[in-house]
Amino acid sequence: GLGVGGHRELCEAFLKACLDEKLCRPDRVKFIEGKFYKCFFYNTALRAWFDKELEKREERLKYRNEFAANYFAGVFDSKGGFAQAGKKGVPYIIGDRVDEIVLLRLGFRVKKERGKFAILSDDFYGWIQPYLKLEISRK
């Protein structure tokens, strides 16, 4: 399947985008409510394309541009937030080794802690903020 899991708002935004782009039919979407919400559908061709695109992240996200900002805004919307550090929150994402490498290459200071990547650079959140889709991701 192809989908997202997390906050209800994330699932709603994902579903709206998929339906607007006609990537799936409304009667084919599975929506599961619980502690975390899940929304997904089956499309093997689209799934294979997304998997190939994820493999190319190191190549595609070389520059600190709108494309890279959109990618990390999506990661922040789905698996990110703010960790309290003193008086201000530090943005973090839950990502993989490739995300960490890309962030470092883009010039952001990253500290890995308990499966999360805290982005210590002050300009990270401002860089992704225009591309955030969820209200809960905004400070």
Side-chain angles (χ1 to χ4, degrees):
L2 190 64
V4 296
H7 297 286
R8 181 182 185 97
E9 189 179 355
L10 173 67
C11 291
E12 290 171 355
F14 172 78
L15 182 57
K16 181 181 181 329
C18 289
L19 294 175
D20 288 350
E21 295 296 323
K22 297 182 181 11
L23 298 176
C24 64
R25 294 187 348 224
D27 61 332
R28 298 289 185 187
V29 175
K30 308 282 187 212
F31 190 81
I32 301 170
E33 294 185 43
K35 183 178 178 184
F36 293 103
Y37 294 85
K38 293 180 183 177
C39 178
F40 61 95
F41 60 94
Y42 294 101
N43 184 325
T44 54
L46 190 58
R47 172 66 189 246
W49 180 79
F50 271 115
D51 286 344
K52 285 181 184 177
E53 289 302 308
L54 280 174
E55 290 173 9
K56 300 175 190 175
R57 280 180 291 170
E58 281 189 78
E59 295 171 32
R60 297 268 172 108
L61 304 173
K62 283 184 182 179
Y63 305 104
R64 201 187 279 203
N65 57 19
E66 186 177 330
F67 185 77
N70 267 292
Y71 171 79
F72 282 107
V75 173
F76 188 84
D77 271 339
S78 65
K79 300 185 287 185
F82 289 95
Q84 287 302 75
K87 292 185 177 183
K88 69 175 192 167
V90 174
Y92 72 86
I93 62 167
I94 298 173
D96 60 12
R97 181 79 175 129
V98 176
D99 291 329
E100 180 183 21
I101 290 168
V102 169
L103 284 167
L104 291 169
R105 286 184 182 163
L106 292 175
F108 295 110
R109 293 182 323 144
V110 178
K111 181 179 179 187
K112 184 176 182 178
E113 193 170 306
R114 288 181 266 153
K116 297 177 182 177
F117 297 113
I119 296 96
L120 304 174
S121 301
D122 292 333
D123 57 340
F124 174 77
Y125 186 76
W127 179 60
I128 66 168
Q129 190 174 21
Y131 309 104
L132 294 172
K133 303 284 186 231
L134 305 183
E135 204 54 46
I136 57 174
S137 297
R138 301 186 185 278
K139 283 198 221 185

